């Protein structure tokens, strides 16, 4: 049976440290039916990251096999490592009417937008209030060494320069305010006509009721 609502592919991108993971966590706590797309990556786990929950940590050989076999919806090389979104869980969730949340870079966002699922995407870009604050957040997170932080800062402009390809842009200054705005965007986009396949039937019923004689 067709789900009454078609799932959205919610894409969050930003330069590293602007707040994607934090906001993704809050969005999922708000609505537990949102499925997080667990990316595969060749990067090493950070302290506290759980394989299969935060990322699927893979070798480069395994990653390349997944790509070659067409199992990645999108993939990219970011900060010297490979990252990609496995296709299977996404298709399943969307068909069942669940939204899928992606924490991916601009290259991945572009590939998904250009895929057959493009019309069901909602893309949101997060900007930091300033570059100085971005650096403070990366340092404050306390998970990367100075070299990794320097590399991410260097690449931040490359990511920011793609801000204008997204449906919505939020400056993540106050976390609670950004969270509220993000939820509003998701709530509104779920009501897009293309996300409500059940509407046709509903309108058909309204029509027959109408034709049977107005009250
Ligand atoms: P990303 O996933 O984009 O790399 P994170 O979500 O890990 O970024 O956020 C980086 C750091 O900044 C974390 O320590 C997080 O708690 C903090 N942070 C996120 N949003 C805000 C905000 N609006 N104000 C202050 N700190 C924030
Ligand atoms: P991190 O190493 O900080 O977890 O992620 C580094 C960057 O890779 C972030 O910009 C993140 O959004 C991006 N990223 C994570 N997973 C994927 C993915 O599956 N595909 C793409 N294209 N980018 C990803």
């Amino acid at each position: 049976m067709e789900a009454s609502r078609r799932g959205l592919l919610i894409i969050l991108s930003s330069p590293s440290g602007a707040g994607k993971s934090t906001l993704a966590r809050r969005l999922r706590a708000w609505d537990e039916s949102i499925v997080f797309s667990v990316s595969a990556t060749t990067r090493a786990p950070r302290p506290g990251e759980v394989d299969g929950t935060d990322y699927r940590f893979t070798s480069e050989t395994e990653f390349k096999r997944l790509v070659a076999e067409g199992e990645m919806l999108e993939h990219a090389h970011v900060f010297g490592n490979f990252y990609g979104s496995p296709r299977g869980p996404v298709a399943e969730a969307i068909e069942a009417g669940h939204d899928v949340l992606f924490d991916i870079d601009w290259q991945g966002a572009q590939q998904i937008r250009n895929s057959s699922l493009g019309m069901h995407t909602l893309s949101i870009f997060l900007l930091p209030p300033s570059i100085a604050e971005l650096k403070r957040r990366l340092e404050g997170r306390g998970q990367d060494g100075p070299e990794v932080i320097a590399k991410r800062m260097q690449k931040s402009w490359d990511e920011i320069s793609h801000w204008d390809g997204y449906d919505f842009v939020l400056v993540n200054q106050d976390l609670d305010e950004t969270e509220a705005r993000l939820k509003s965007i998701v709530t509104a986009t779920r009501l897009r006509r293309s996300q409500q396949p059940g509407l046709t039937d509903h309108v058909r019923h309204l029509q027959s009721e109408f034709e049977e004689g107005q009250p």
Side-chain angles (χ1 to χ4, degrees):
M1 207 187 90
E2 196 170 34
S4 63
R5 192 166 79 72
R6 189 163 285 134
L8 280 172
L9 283 74
I10 306 169
I11 302 175
L12 272 184
S13 300
S14 78
S16 185
K20 282 181 306 291
S21 313
T22 307
L23 285 155
R25 259 194 308 275
R26 288 187 174 209
L27 198 62
R28 289 161 67 205
W30 169 65
D31 182 345
E32 290 177 355
S33 75
I34 297 177
V35 175
F36 182 62
S37 169
V38 179
S39 297
T41 182
T42 58
R43 107 157 143 65
R46 292 195 187 113
E49 280 184 334
V50 179
D51 188 27
T53 302
D54 298 295
Y55 276 107
R56 185 170 147 193
F57 297 99
T58 62
S59 65
E60 203 166 310
T61 315
E62 169 68 358
F63 191 95
K64 287 183 173 163
R65 185 188 67 77
L66 291 168
V67 172
E69 292 179 0
E71 288 189 29
M72 291 297 191
L73 180 58
E74 62 75 31
H75 62 95
H77 196 241
V78 191
F79 308 131
N81 288 297
F82 292 101
Y83 293 83
S85 311
R87 184 187 298 277
V90 178
E92 238 170 71
I94 296 300
E95 279 306 308
H98 293 296
D99 298 329
V100 182
L101 181 60
F102 296 82
D103 170 341
I104 59 177
D105 84 329
W106 70 270
Q107 304 173 79
Q110 198 172 65
Q111 290 170 46
I112 292 184
R113 245 185 257 112
N114 293 335
S115 77
S116 58
L117 295 171
M119 66 177 299
H120 301 299
T121 64
L122 160 62
S123 62
I124 302 145
F125 196 89
L126 300 173
L127 286 171
S130 67
I131 298 298
E133 172 63 13
L134 183 66
K135 185 152 185 264
R136 271 195 292 277
R137 288 185 190 171
L138 275 176
E139 288 167 349
R141 186 164 68 185
Q143 287 185 334
D144 299 302
E147 265 178 41
V148 172
I149 290 181
K151 198 158 147 191
R152 285 173 182 241
M153 284 305 295
Q154 237 175 31
K155 288 274 179 189
S156 65
W157 182 251
D158 185 32
E159 187 71 25
I160 292 174
S161 69
H162 294 279
W163 69 281
D164 57 354
Y166 286 72
D167 299 323
F168 292 89
V169 180
L170 298 171
V171 178
N172 180 23
Q173 179 133 33
D174 178 84
L175 188 54
D176 290 340
E177 188 174 280
T178 309
E179 179 187 352
R181 289 178 173 169
L182 183 60
K183 290 175 185 170
S184 305
I185 291 169
V186 170
T187 302
T189 310
R190 282 174 170 172
L191 297 173
R192 237 172 19 195
R193 192 155 43 89
S194 56
Q195 302 313 121
Q196 300 190 74
L199 275 186
T200 318
D201 271 353
H202 182 66
V203 173
R204 213 172 281 134
H205 282 124
L206 291 178
Q207 187 182 13
S208 33
E209 215 185 322
F210 188 80
E211 286 170 357
E212 277 161 20
Q214 295 176 57

